[in-house]
Amino acid sequence: MTQMMFYERPVALNRERHKALRLAAAPAHYAFAAQTNAVPIASTEFAEAARDYPIVFVGEEGGPFNVAAMVGVRDRQNLMVDAEGNWAPGTYIPAFARRYPFVLAQGEGDDKLTVCIDEVYAGLGTDKGEPLFAADGSETPYLKRVLEFLQRFHAEAQRTTAFATRLKELGLLVPKIINVERGGERQSVSGLWIVDAAKLRGIDDARVLELFRSGYLGWIEAHLLSLGSLTRLVARMGEAARVSDEAGEIAAPAATTH
């Protein structure tokens, strides 16, 4: 999971180069996210995102861990983005995707963050949309709101990484593998981890207090509740497929009538 995922040609936002640039939402705005099955997510989004997505930890044994919302159960498949590039109506859109085409980028060996924009985005132009810079080269109110959003997301993402790292240190994460069988073919989604509820109940009181005071306990609860969203995600496949994990087959929820 990388902060530059989705961006084809990110360049540093420049007052001279981009002084006439305007931004308008393009048709098929979320097409850039159509070929991913997981989107990075910050802990402050857990409560809203849990209603629509399984929230999982992503990483390899011994490596850094991040947190993501599962948006598909097969590789290069986002069940929340349709063929026209629209995100599913009425569902939560992770901030990681909402910030596009902007991003805060960090150079190699450099702690300084630079605001970048993906120059290939179809919504960029000089005729319509929100201007980024005023005539005097200052940031417009729109761009200021964008910058505040990017900075807030960056800070929250760092807190979330620290959260995932701490849970791994405490031995609370266990691997989860999703298997999809369709048309005689089998595909597995690995590199996913979830909190082991039994291990969580077994930690000592001092660690429970630590998790509570840091706010981590509430995030863990939201994560565990979110795992129930996997059946709804499977239901979006709308095709003959068997989806299973280590506990067995995951059945799509039965249709209801009103």
Side-chain angles (χ1 to χ4, degrees):
M1 310 295 290
T2 172
Q3 291 293 310
M4 299 304 288
M5 184 173 75
F6 301 151
Y7 298 81
E8 291 184 44
R9 196 170 72 219
V11 298
L13 196 60
N14 183 278
R15 295 176 192 276
E16 289 302 317
R17 177 173 177 169
H18 301 121
K19 62 183 178 182
L21 200 61
R22 290 174 173 264
L23 176 65
H29 174 71
Y30 287 105
F32 65 85
Q35 294 189 22
T36 184
N37 62 6
V39 178
I41 194 167
S43 51
T44 48
E45 302 178 84
F46 284 12
E48 287 190 78
R51 288 174 284 199
D52 296 311
Y53 315 108
I55 296 169
V56 295
F57 297 83
V58 181
E60 300 297 334
E61 185 75 50
F65 274 71
N66 293 297
V67 187
M70 284 186 66
V71 293
V73 291
R74 291 206 302 260
D75 192 35
R76 300 177 64 82
Q77 172 205 55
N78 187 339
L79 292 167
M80 311 307 292
V81 175
D82 64 20
E84 285 72 46
N86 300 307
W87 202 280
T91 60
Y92 181 76
I93 303 175
F96 188 96
R98 280 186 279 123
R99 66 184 183 166
Y100 184 87
F102 297 97
V103 64
L104 279 181
Q106 190 172 326
E108 244 181 83
D110 186 3
D111 291 335
K112 184 180 179 181
L113 294 170
T114 302
V115 180
C116 296
I117 192 166
D118 193 347
E119 285 192 322
V120 304
Y121 179 55
L124 293 173
T126 56
D127 298 327
K128 60 181 180 179
E130 295 281 359
L132 303 185
F133 295 102
D136 63 359
S138 62
E139 299 160 354
T140 60
Y142 169 74
L143 183 55
K144 287 180 180 177
R145 290 194 299 272
V146 168
L147 297 179
E148 290 172 2
F149 175 71
L150 292 175
Q151 290 164 354
R152 189 165 59 250
F153 177 77
H154 177 73
E156 292 169 356
Q158 288 185 310
R159 290 181 64 202
T160 306
T161 299
F163 163 63
T165 300
R166 184 57 179 146
L167 296 193
K168 179 60 178 172
E169 290 171 350
L170 293 173
L172 295 178
L173 300 182
V174 293
K176 184 177 187 66
I177 297 177
I178 304 295
N179 303 302
V180 182
E181 295 179 58
R182 177 174 175 262
E185 295 183 357
R186 179 185 173 98
Q187 184 182 87
S188 296
V189 180
S190 58
L192 309 179
W193 302 70
I194 62 172
V195 170
D196 187 312
K199 289 184 176 181
L200 178 63
R201 289 192 297 269
I203 63 175
D204 60 78
D205 292 349
R207 299 290 80 76
V208 172
L209 184 61
E210 174 200 337
L211 295 175
F212 172 74
R213 293 200 182 282
S214 62
Y216 290 177
L217 204 54
W219 298 347
I220 292 172
E221 290 170 355
H223 152 68
L224 291 173
L225 285 172
S226 80
L227 299 179
S229 298
L230 186 55
T231 55
R232 292 191 291 279
L233 191 62
V234 169
R236 286 184 173 273
M237 295 181 73
E239 56 191 40
R242 291 183 66 247
V243 182
S244 62
D245 60 11
E246 61 281 350
E249 186 169 353
I250 301 167
T256 56
T257 56
H258 300 280

